[in-house]
Amino acid sequence: MRHFFYWLILGILGFSLLTACNHHTPQNISSLPKQPTAECRMVKHTMGETCVPIHPQRVVTLSSCTLGNVLALGVKPIGTTNEVYVEGNSLSSINGKTDGIKLLGLSQPNLEATLLLKPDLIIGVDWFKPIYPLLSKIAPTVLGEIDFINWQKHLSFVAESLGKQEVEKALWDRYYQRIEQLKQALGTRYQGKKISFITLGSNQLYIDSKNSFSGSILSDALLQRPAAQNLDSTYGAFPISFEELEKADGDILFVTTYSSGGKKFLEEKQQEPLWKSLKAVQENHVYYVDFMSWAATHMLGTDAVIDDLFKYLVNTP
């Protein structure tokens, strides 16, 4: 990250990719000869081995988690996909770092638009296996495994693909330095306190478990979770009914929504007695955070989550 609902998105994505591959193959891509790369090195990935440029200049990323990691490693892609739409600007979560990057699609890349960008390297995740043959005709393409509860592995894959392993090490050094600064700033203020994090979609509520993207950051900061959230789950999150809302309660409650349907669902539930009965609500300790940051599953997202923890847990009275 990311969440249970991402596997629903993944199912939609897989269908759309297969449909695109079977019915919308641009002739000018399928007939392209494989382009040799003069100076390259081999990278292992889910589709085998590919010789990638030693110093790529025109990188395309497939998926928001790949995009965030590439940006964190100091490389600005020329184009990207972004599987989750955010109202107003689907790339808004990267805090202005996406200016000038062409959006190539949400559920799948527009192959002809990708071809026109003339990339020299395409990096993505294994969702895009069905169109790998077409992508590899456009440019050397590497697809890494994506497991949202082991999001750190994708950062390492992207770093290897770009030859940025030293930068990756520096990013982790900085991450743990920020975590230590946060722990020192928190002191004993939240000792014994429970920190809850929930996401609302259209007519559905999800709880983040301990092994989610945001959960891993909270754990590193030694922040405790409510009993119902202090566990690992297959997808890093799990749905609950609104009648089970007490599982979402805590001394501090972080809330996010995805899609306009999530915002409407939250507004409706905020008027109900069950929501108003939550301890965090009654004590005015509910904080609304950005979905694309707290579900990021990339290194740029860690900064956004840590910034929010400083903002609401350290600097808020």
Side-chain angles (χ1 to χ4, degrees):
M1 85 149 3
R2 289 180 238 189
H3 299 292
F4 177 86
F5 53 83
Y6 269 99
W7 295 95
L8 301 178
I9 294 171
L10 182 56
I12 297 169
L13 176 63
F15 175 78
S16 61
L17 286 174
L18 287 169
T19 303
C21 189
N22 291 335
H23 300 291
H24 301 289
T25 302
Q27 293 300 313
N28 59 336
I29 293 175
S30 60
S31 61
L32 281 175
K34 244 185 190 310
Q35 299 297 318
T37 305
E39 294 186 24
C40 63
R41 55 189 175 77
M42 299 302 294
V43 171
K44 292 182 179 181
H45 59 107
T46 59
M47 301 302 292
E49 286 187 311
T50 296
C51 206
V52 305
I54 295 175
H55 301 293
Q57 301 297 311
R58 300 182 62 79
V59 177
V60 162
T61 57
L62 304 180
S63 83
S64 60
C65 54
T66 306
L67 169 64
N69 284 328
V70 168
L71 287 168
L73 290 162
V75 175
K76 188 166 187 177
I78 56 172
T80 191
T81 63
N82 192 54
E83 65 274 13
V84 180
Y85 177 72
V86 177
E87 191 172 5
N89 181 352
S90 59
L91 296 178
S92 63
S93 67
I94 319 293
N95 300 324
K97 294 181 182 290
T98 58
D99 293 344
I101 300 176
K102 183 175 179 60
L103 181 62
L104 296 170
L106 297 177
S107 65
Q108 60 174 301
N110 181 309
L111 295 174
E112 290 172 308
T114 304
L115 176 65
L116 290 173
L117 287 180
K118 299 180 180 179
D120 56 8
L121 177 61
I122 299 173
I123 308 176
V125 295
D126 53 11
W127 300 339
F128 298 96
K129 284 182 177 181
I131 58 170
Y132 176 79
L134 297 176
L135 294 168
S136 62
K137 289 285 188 180
I138 298 173
T141 300
V142 291
L143 303 180
E145 294 181 13
I146 183 63
D147 180 353
F148 293 128
I149 61 175
N150 294 305
W151 62 271
Q152 301 90 337
K153 290 183 178 179
H154 190 60
L155 171 62
S156 295
F157 172 76
V158 172
E160 179 188 1
S161 301
L162 294 171
K164 297 285 187 180
Q165 292 92 334
E166 289 301 314
V167 180
E168 181 197 4
K169 182 180 181 301
L171 288 175
W172 281 117
D173 289 344
R174 181 177 178 276
Y175 168 79
Y176 286 114
Q177 182 181 38
R178 292 206 72 198
I179 288 291
E180 286 303 315
Q181 292 170 347
L182 176 61
K183 289 194 292 187
Q184 290 179 19
L186 291 171
T188 59
R189 183 174 173 182
Y190 291 93
Q191 190 170 354
K193 303 285 187 181
K194 307 299 182 184
I195 312 298
S196 175
F197 174 52
I198 63 172
T199 300
L200 288 91
S202 299
N203 301 312
Q204 186 62 67
L205 189 154
Y206 299 88
I207 286 181
D208 261 46
S209 54
K210 190 170 64 173
N211 63 336
S212 68
F213 171 71
S214 57
S216 67
I217 300 172
L218 293 172
S219 292
D220 286 342
L222 303 182
L223 291 166
Q224 299 177 4
R225 308 293 299 281
Q229 303 173 30
N230 193 33
L231 47 80
D232 292 340
S233 65
T234 304
Y235 306 114
F238 53 91
I240 63 170
S241 66
F242 191 74
E243 289 69 29
E244 300 175 287
L245 189 61
E246 71 277 0
K247 293 181 179 179
D249 204 1
D251 298 283
I252 303 292
L253 175 58
F254 288 104
V255 180
T256 191
T257 62
Y258 71 98
S259 78
S260 56
K263 294 178 182 178
K264 183 179 179 181
F265 185 55
L266 173 62
E267 290 170 358
E268 291 173 355
K269 295 306 178 185
Q270 284 174 320
Q271 306 307 313
E272 297 190 12
L274 197 55
W275 178 272
K276 295 177 180 179
S277 70
L278 294 178
K279 178 182 179 181
V281 173
Q282 293 178 350
E283 296 183 357
N284 199 29
H285 289 157
V286 180
Y287 305 115
Y288 301 93
V289 293
D290 176 54
F291 165 76
M292 291 293 283
S293 297
W294 280 63
T297 63
H298 56 66
M299 186 54 89
L300 282 187
T302 64
D303 267 338
V305 174
I306 292 172
D307 285 346
D308 281 340
L309 294 176
F310 268 106
K311 177 180 179 180
Y312 295 115
L313 301 186
V314 177
N315 301 325
T316 300

